[in-house]
Amino acid sequence: MNFIRKHELAFKYFPDAPTKKAATDNLTRAINRCKPLLEALARSPGGYSTRDKQYSPHQVELIYHYLGEP
């Protein structure tokens, strides 16, 4: 698995979002509501910021673990 762009992952979770921004905002909110996920992402290699434009394979695995696969 390669790095995935934030909006691509966001559209997997929110396929009916009207725009990239809406999809990424929804994903960011979902991540922020899950404190264990937020903490795990912060500890991941490279850390985590809401401004990140892409996720590493490890970060995607964490997101799938905590939010479920899209």
Coordinates of all heavy atoms in Angstrom, one line a residue:
M1 N 0.9 -1.2 0.0 CA 0.0 0.0 0.0 C 0.9 1.2 0.0 O 1.9 1.3 0.7 CB -0.9 0.0 1.2 CG -1.9 1.1 1.3 SD -2.8 1.3 2.8 CE -3.6 -0.2 3.0
N2 N 0.5 2.2 -0.8 CA 1.2 3.5 -0.9 C 0.5 4.5 0.0 O -0.5 4.3 0.5 CB 1.3 3.9 -2.3 CG 2.2 3.0 -3.1 OD1 3.2 2.5 -2.7 ND2 1.7 2.7 -4.4
F3 N 1.2 5.7 0.0 CA 0.5 6.8 0.7 C -0.8 7.1 -0.1 O -0.9 6.9 -1.3 CB 1.4 8.1 0.6 CG 2.4 8.1 1.7 CD1 3.5 7.3 1.6 CD2 2.3 9.0 2.8 CE1 4.5 7.3 2.6 CE2 3.3 9.0 3.8 CZ 4.4 8.2 3.7
I4 N -1.8 7.6 0.6 CA -3.1 7.9 0.0 C -3.4 9.3 0.3 O -3.2 9.8 1.5 CB -4.2 6.9 0.5 CG1 -5.5 7.2 -0.3 CG2 -4.4 7.0 2.0 CD1 -6.6 6.1 0.0
R5 N -3.9 10.0 -0.7 CA -4.3 11.4 -0.4 C -5.5 11.5 0.5 O -6.4 10.6 0.4 CB -4.7 12.1 -1.8 CG -3.4 12.3 -2.6 CD -3.8 12.9 -3.9 NE -2.6 13.1 -4.7 CZ -2.6 13.6 -5.9 NH1 -3.7 14.1 -6.4 NH2 -1.4 13.8 -6.5
K6 N -5.5 12.5 1.3 CA -6.6 12.6 2.3 C -8.0 12.6 1.7 O -8.9 12.0 2.1 CB -6.4 13.9 3.1 CG -7.4 14.1 4.2 CD -7.1 15.5 4.8 CE -6.8 15.3 6.3 NZ -6.6 16.6 7.0
H7 N -8.1 13.4 0.6 CA -9.5 13.5 0.0 C -9.9 12.1 -0.6 O -11.1 11.8 -0.7 CB -9.6 14.6 -1.1 CG -8.9 14.4 -2.3 ND1 -7.5 14.7 -2.5 CD2 -9.3 13.8 -3.5 CE1 -7.2 14.4 -3.7 NE2 -8.2 13.8 -4.3
E8 N -9.0 11.3 -1.1 CA -9.3 10.0 -1.7 C -9.9 9.1 -0.6 O -10.9 8.4 -0.8 CB -8.1 9.4 -2.3 CG -7.7 10.1 -3.6 CD -6.4 9.6 -4.2 OE1 -5.6 8.9 -3.5 OE2 -6.0 10.0 -5.3
L9 N -9.2 9.1 0.6 CA -9.7 8.3 1.7 C -11.0 8.9 2.2 O -11.9 8.1 2.5 CB -8.7 8.3 2.8 CG -9.0 7.4 4.0 CD1 -9.2 5.9 3.6 CD2 -8.0 7.5 5.1
A10 N -11.1 10.2 2.3 CA -12.3 10.8 2.7 C -13.5 10.4 1.9 O -14.6 10.1 2.4 CB -12.2 12.3 2.8
F11 N -13.4 10.4 0.6 CA -14.5 10.0 -0.3 C -14.8 8.5 -0.2 O -16.0 8.1 -0.5 CB -14.1 10.3 -1.8 CG -14.5 11.7 -2.2 CD1 -13.6 12.6 -2.7 CD2 -15.8 12.2 -2.1 CE1 -13.9 13.8 -3.1 CE2 -16.2 13.4 -2.5 CZ -15.2 14.3 -3.0
K12 N -13.9 7.7 0.3 CA -14.3 6.3 0.6 C -15.2 6.2 1.7 O -16.1 5.4 1.8 CB -13.0 5.5 0.9 CG -12.2 5.2 -0.4 CD -11.0 4.3 0.0 CE -10.2 4.1 -1.3 NZ -9.1 3.1 -1.0
Y13 N -15.0 7.1 2.7 CA -15.9 7.1 3.9 C -17.2 7.9 3.7 O -18.2 7.6 4.2 CB -15.2 7.7 5.1 CG -14.3 6.7 5.8 CD1 -12.9 6.6 5.5 CD2 -14.8 5.8 6.7 CE1 -12.1 5.7 6.2 CE2 -14.0 4.9 7.4 CZ -12.6 4.8 7.1 OH -11.8 3.9 7.7
F14 N -17.1 8.9 2.8 CA -18.2 9.8 2.6 C -18.4 10.0 1.1 O -18.2 11.1 0.5 CB -17.9 11.2 3.3 CG -17.7 11.1 4.7 CD1 -16.4 11.1 5.3 CD2 -18.8 11.0 5.6 CE1 -16.2 10.9 6.6 CE2 -18.6 10.8 7.0 CZ -17.3 10.8 7.5
P15 N -18.8 9.0 0.4 CA -18.9 9.0 -1.1 C -20.0 10.0 -1.6 O -19.9 10.4 -2.7 CB -19.3 7.6 -1.4 CG -19.9 7.0 -0.2 CD -19.3 7.7 1.0
D16 N -20.9 10.4 -0.8 CA -22.0 11.3 -1.2 C -21.6 12.8 -0.9 O -22.4 13.7 -1.2 CB -23.3 11.0 -0.5 CG -23.8 9.6 -1.0 OD1 -23.5 9.2 -2.1 OD2 -24.5 9.0 -0.1
A17 N -20.4 13.0 -0.4 CA -20.0 14.4 -0.1 C -19.9 15.2 -1.4 O -19.4 14.7 -2.4 CB -18.7 14.4 0.6
P18 N -20.4 16.4 -1.4 CA -20.5 17.1 -2.7 C -19.1 17.7 -3.2 O -19.0 17.9 -4.4 CB -21.4 18.3 -2.4 CG -21.4 18.5 -0.9 CD -21.1 17.1 -0.3
T19 N -18.2 17.8 -2.3 CA -16.9 18.4 -2.7 C -15.8 17.7 -1.9 O -16.0 17.0 -0.9 CB -16.8 19.9 -2.3 OG1 -16.9 20.1 -0.9 CG2 -17.9 20.7 -3.0
K20 N -14.5 17.9 -2.4 CA -13.4 17.3 -1.7 C -13.3 17.9 -0.3 O -13.0 17.2 0.7 CB -12.1 17.7 -2.4 CG -11.8 16.8 -3.6 CD -10.3 17.0 -4.0 CE -10.2 17.9 -5.2 NZ -8.8 17.9 -5.7
K21 N -13.5 19.2 -0.1 CA -13.5 19.9 1.2 C -14.5 19.3 2.1 O -14.2 19.0 3.3 CB -13.7 21.4 1.0 CG -13.6 22.1 2.4 CD -13.5 23.6 2.2 CE -13.5 24.3 3.5 NZ -13.4 23.7 4.8
A22 N -15.7 19.1 1.7 CA -16.7 18.5 2.5 C -16.4 17.1 3.0 O -16.5 16.8 4.2 CB -18.1 18.5 1.8
A23 N -15.8 16.3 2.1 CA -15.4 14.9 2.4 C -14.3 15.0 3.4 O -14.3 14.2 4.5 CB -15.0 14.2 1.2
T24 N -13.3 15.8 3.2 CA -12.1 15.8 4.1 C -12.5 16.4 5.5 O -12.0 16.0 6.5 CB -10.9 16.6 3.5 OG1 -11.3 17.9 3.1 CG2 -10.4 15.8 2.3
D25 N -13.4 17.4 5.4 CA -13.9 18.0 6.7 C -14.6 16.9 7.5 O -14.4 16.8 8.7 CB -14.8 19.2 6.5 CG -14.1 20.4 6.0 OD1 -12.8 20.4 6.1 OD2 -14.7 21.4 5.6
N26 N -15.4 16.1 6.9 CA -16.2 15.0 7.6 C -15.2 14.0 8.1 O -15.4 13.6 9.3 CB -17.1 14.3 6.6 CG -18.3 15.2 6.3 OD1 -18.7 16.1 7.1 ND2 -19.0 14.9 5.2
L27 N -14.2 13.6 7.4 CA -13.2 12.7 7.9 C -12.4 13.3 9.0 O -12.2 12.6 10.0 CB -12.3 12.2 6.7 CG -11.2 11.2 7.2 CD1 -11.8 9.9 7.7 CD2 -10.3 10.9 6.0
T28 N -12.0 14.5 8.9 CA -11.3 15.1 10.0 C -12.1 15.2 11.3 O -11.6 14.9 12.4 CB -10.9 16.6 9.6 OG1 -10.0 16.5 8.5 CG2 -10.1 17.3 10.7
R29 N -13.4 15.5 11.2 CA -14.3 15.5 12.3 C -14.4 14.1 12.9 O -14.4 13.9 14.2 CB -15.7 16.0 12.0 CG -15.8 17.5 12.0 CD -17.2 18.0 11.9 NE -17.8 17.7 10.6 CZ -17.7 18.5 9.6 NH1 -17.0 19.6 9.6 NH2 -18.3 18.2 8.4
A30 N -14.5 13.1 12.1 CA -14.6 11.7 12.6 C -13.3 11.3 13.3 O -13.4 10.7 14.4 CB -14.9 10.7 11.4
I31 N -12.2 11.7 12.8 CA -10.9 11.4 13.5 C -10.8 12.1 14.8 O -10.5 11.6 15.8 CB -9.7 11.7 12.5 CG1 -9.7 10.7 11.4 CG2 -8.4 11.7 13.3 CD1 -8.7 11.1 10.3
N32 N -11.2 13.4 14.8 CA -11.1 14.2 16.0 C -12.1 13.7 17.1 O -11.8 13.9 18.3 CB -11.4 15.7 15.7 CG -10.2 16.3 15.0 OD1 -9.1 15.9 15.1 ND2 -10.5 17.4 14.3
R33 N -13.2 13.1 16.7 CA -14.1 12.6 17.7 C -13.6 11.3 18.4 O -14.1 10.9 19.4 CB -15.5 12.3 17.1 CG -16.3 13.6 16.9 CD -17.7 13.3 16.6 NE -17.9 12.6 15.3 CZ -18.2 13.1 14.1 NH1 -18.4 14.4 14.1 NH2 -18.3 12.4 13.1
C34 N -12.7 10.6 17.7 CA -12.2 9.3 18.2 C -10.8 9.6 18.9 O -9.8 9.5 18.2 CB -12.1 8.3 17.1 SG -11.5 6.7 17.7
K35 N -10.8 9.9 20.2 CA -9.6 10.3 20.9 C -8.5 9.2 20.8 O -7.3 9.5 20.6 CB -9.9 10.6 22.3 CG -10.7 11.9 22.4 CD -10.0 13.1 21.8 CE -10.9 14.3 21.9 NZ -10.5 15.4 21.0
P36 N -8.9 7.9 20.9 CA -7.8 6.9 20.8 C -7.1 6.9 19.4 O -5.9 6.7 19.3 CB -8.5 5.5 21.1 CG -9.7 5.9 21.9 CD -10.1 7.3 21.4
L37 N -7.9 7.1 18.4 CA -7.4 7.2 17.0 C -6.5 8.4 16.9 O -5.4 8.3 16.4 CB -8.5 7.3 16.0 CG -8.1 7.6 14.6 CD1 -7.0 6.6 14.0 CD2 -9.3 7.6 13.6
L38 N -6.9 9.5 17.4 CA -6.1 10.8 17.3 C -4.8 10.6 18.0 O -3.8 11.0 17.5 CB -7.0 11.9 18.0 CG -6.6 13.3 17.7 CD1 -6.5 13.6 16.2 CD2 -7.5 14.3 18.3
E39 N -4.8 9.9 19.2 CA -3.6 9.7 19.9 C -2.7 8.7 19.2 O -1.5 8.9 19.1 CB -3.9 9.2 21.3 CG -4.6 10.2 22.2 CD -5.2 9.7 23.5 OE1 -5.0 8.4 23.8 OE2 -5.8 10.4 24.2
A40 N -3.2 7.7 18.6 CA -2.4 6.7 17.8 C -1.8 7.4 16.6 O -0.7 7.1 16.3 CB -3.3 5.5 17.4
L41 N -2.6 8.2 15.9 CA -2.0 8.9 14.8 C -0.9 9.9 15.2 O 0.1 10.0 14.5 CB -3.1 9.7 14.1 CG -4.1 8.9 13.3 CD1 -5.3 9.8 12.8 CD2 -3.5 8.2 12.1
A42 N -1.1 10.5 16.3 CA 0.0 11.5 16.8 C 1.3 10.7 17.1 O 2.4 11.3 16.9 CB -0.5 12.2 18.0
R43 N 1.2 9.5 17.6 CA 2.3 8.6 17.9 C 2.9 7.9 16.7 O 4.0 7.4 16.7 CB 2.0 7.6 18.9 CG 1.7 8.1 20.3 CD 1.6 7.0 21.3 NE 0.7 6.0 21.0 CZ -0.6 6.0 21.3 NH1 -1.1 7.0 22.0 NH2 -1.4 5.0 20.9
S44 N 2.2 8.0 15.5 CA 2.7 7.3 14.3 C 3.9 8.0 13.8 O 4.1 9.2 14.0 CB 1.6 7.2 13.3 OG 1.3 8.5 12.8
P45 N 4.7 7.2 13.0 CA 5.9 7.8 12.4 C 5.6 9.1 11.6 O 4.7 9.0 10.8 CB 6.5 6.7 11.5 CG 6.0 5.5 12.2 CD 4.6 5.8 12.7
G46 N 6.2 10.2 11.8 CA 5.9 11.4 11.1 C 4.8 12.2 11.8 O 4.6 13.4 11.4
G47 N 4.2 11.6 12.8 CA 3.1 12.4 13.5 C 1.9 12.6 12.7 O 1.7 12.0 11.7
Y48 N 1.0 13.4 13.2 CA -0.2 13.7 12.5 C -0.6 15.2 12.7 O -0.4 15.7 13.8 CB -1.4 12.8 13.1 CG -2.7 13.2 12.6 CD1 -3.1 12.9 11.4 CD2 -3.6 13.9 13.5 CE1 -4.4 13.3 10.9 CE2 -4.9 14.2 13.0 CZ -5.3 13.9 11.8 OH -6.5 14.3 11.3
S49 N -1.1 15.8 11.7 CA -1.7 17.1 11.7 C -2.9 17.1 10.8 O -3.0 16.4 9.8 CB -0.6 18.1 11.2 OG -1.3 19.4 11.0
T50 N -3.9 17.9 11.2 CA -5.1 18.0 10.4 C -4.8 18.7 9.1 O -5.6 18.6 8.1 CB -6.2 18.9 11.1 OG1 -5.6 20.1 11.4 CG2 -6.7 18.2 12.4
R51 N -3.6 19.3 9.0 CA -3.2 19.9 7.7 C -2.5 18.9 6.7 O -2.2 19.3 5.6 CB -2.3 21.1 8.0 CG -2.9 22.2 8.7 CD -2.0 23.3 8.9 NE -2.7 24.4 9.6 CZ -2.1 25.4 10.1 NH1 -0.8 25.5 10.1 NH2 -2.8 26.4 10.7
D52 N -2.2 17.7 7.2 CA -1.6 16.7 6.3 C -2.5 16.5 5.1 O -3.7 16.5 5.1 CB -1.5 15.4 7.0 CG -0.4 15.4 8.2 OD1 0.4 16.4 8.2 OD2 -0.5 14.5 9.0
K53 N -1.8 16.3 3.9 CA -2.5 16.1 2.7 C -2.6 14.7 2.3 O -3.3 14.3 1.3 CB -1.8 16.9 1.6 CG -1.8 18.4 1.8 CD -3.1 19.0 1.8 CE -3.1 20.5 1.9 NZ -4.3 21.1 2.4
Q54 N -1.8 13.8 3.0 CA -1.9 12.4 2.7 C -1.6 11.6 3.9 O -1.1 12.1 4.9 CB -0.9 12.1 1.6 CG 0.6 12.4 1.9 CD 1.5 12.1 0.8 OE1 1.1 11.8 -0.3 NE2 2.8 12.2 1.0
Y55 N -2.0 10.3 3.9 CA -1.8 9.4 5.0 C -0.8 8.3 4.6 O -0.9 7.8 3.5 CB -3.1 8.8 5.4 CG -4.1 9.8 6.0 CD1 -5.3 10.0 5.3 CD2 -3.8 10.5 7.2 CE1 -6.2 10.9 5.8 CE2 -4.7 11.4 7.7 CZ -5.9 11.6 7.0 OH -6.8 12.5 7.5
S56 N 0.0 7.9 5.5 CA 0.9 6.8 5.3 C 0.1 5.5 5.4 O -1.0 5.5 5.9 CB 2.0 6.7 6.3 OG 1.5 6.4 7.6
P57 N 0.7 4.4 4.9 CA 0.0 3.1 5.0 C -0.3 2.8 6.5 O -1.4 2.3 6.8 CB 0.9 2.1 4.4 CG 1.7 2.9 3.4 CD 1.9 4.3 4.0
H58 N 0.6 3.1 7.4 CA 0.4 2.8 8.8 C -0.8 3.6 9.3 O -1.6 3.1 10.1 CB 1.6 3.1 9.6 CG 1.5 2.9 11.1 ND1 1.3 1.6 11.6 CD2 1.4 3.8 12.1 CE1 1.1 1.8 12.9 NE2 1.2 3.1 13.2
Q59 N -0.9 4.9 8.9 CA -1.9 5.7 9.4 C -3.3 5.3 8.9 O -4.3 5.3 9.6 CB -1.7 7.2 9.0 CG -0.6 7.8 9.7 CD -0.2 9.2 9.2 OE1 -0.1 9.4 8.0 NE2 0.1 10.1 10.1
V60 N -3.3 4.8 7.6 CA -4.5 4.3 7.0 C -5.0 3.0 7.8 O -6.2 2.9 8.1 CB -4.4 3.9 5.5 CG1 -5.6 3.2 5.0 CG2 -4.1 5.2 4.7
E61 N -4.0 2.2 8.2 CA -4.4 1.0 9.0 C -5.0 1.4 10.3 O -6.0 0.8 10.8 CB -3.1 0.1 9.2 CG -2.7 -0.6 8.0 CD -1.4 -1.4 8.3 OE1 -1.1 -1.7 9.4 OE2 -0.7 -1.8 7.3
L62 N -4.4 2.4 10.9 CA -5.0 2.9 12.2 C -6.4 3.5 12.0 O -7.3 3.2 12.8 CB -4.1 4.0 12.8 CG -2.7 3.6 13.3 CD1 -1.9 4.8 13.7 CD2 -2.9 2.7 14.5
I63 N -6.6 4.2 11.0 CA -7.9 4.8 10.7 C -8.9 3.6 10.5 O -10.0 3.6 11.0 CB -7.9 5.7 9.5 CG1 -7.1 7.0 9.9 CG2 -9.3 6.1 9.0 CD1 -6.7 7.9 8.7
Y64 N -8.6 2.6 9.7 CA -9.4 1.5 9.5 C -9.7 0.7 10.8 O -10.8 0.3 11.0 CB -8.8 0.5 8.5 CG -8.8 0.9 7.0 CD1 -8.2 0.1 6.1 CD2 -9.4 2.1 6.6 CE1 -8.2 0.5 4.7 CE2 -9.4 2.5 5.3 CZ -8.8 1.7 4.3 OH -8.8 2.0 3.0
H65 N -8.7 0.6 11.6 CA -8.9 -0.1 12.9 C -9.9 0.6 13.8 O -10.8 0.0 14.4 CB -7.5 -0.2 13.6 CG -7.7 -0.8 15.0 ND1 -7.8 -2.2 15.2 CD2 -7.6 -0.2 16.2 CE1 -7.9 -2.4 16.5 NE2 -7.8 -1.2 17.1
Y66 N -9.8 1.9 13.9 CA -10.6 2.7 14.8 C -12.0 3.1 14.2 O -13.0 3.1 14.9 CB -9.9 3.9 15.3 CG -8.9 3.6 16.3 CD1 -7.5 3.4 16.0 CD2 -9.2 3.3 17.7 CE1 -6.5 3.1 16.9 CE2 -8.2 3.0 18.6 CZ -6.9 2.9 18.2 OH -5.9 2.6 19.1
L67 N -12.0 3.4 12.9 CA -13.3 3.8 12.3 C -14.0 2.7 11.5 O -15.1 2.9 11.1 CB -13.0 5.0 11.4 CG -12.5 6.3 12.0 CD1 -12.3 7.4 10.9 CD2 -13.3 6.8 13.2
G68 N -13.3 1.6 11.3 CA -13.8 0.6 10.5 C -13.4 0.8 9.0 O -13.2 2.0 8.6
E69 N -13.4 -0.2 8.2 CA -13.1 0.0 6.8 C -14.3 0.7 6.1 O -15.4 0.4 6.5 CB -12.7 -1.3 6.1 CG -11.4 -1.8 6.7 CD -10.7 -2.8 5.7 OE1 -10.9 -2.7 4.5 OE2 -10.0 -3.6 6.2
P70 N -14.0 1.5 5.2 CA -15.1 2.2 4.5 C -15.9 1.3 3.6 O -15.5 0.2 3.2 CB -14.4 3.3 3.6 CG -13.0 2.9 3.5 CD -12.7 2.0 4.7

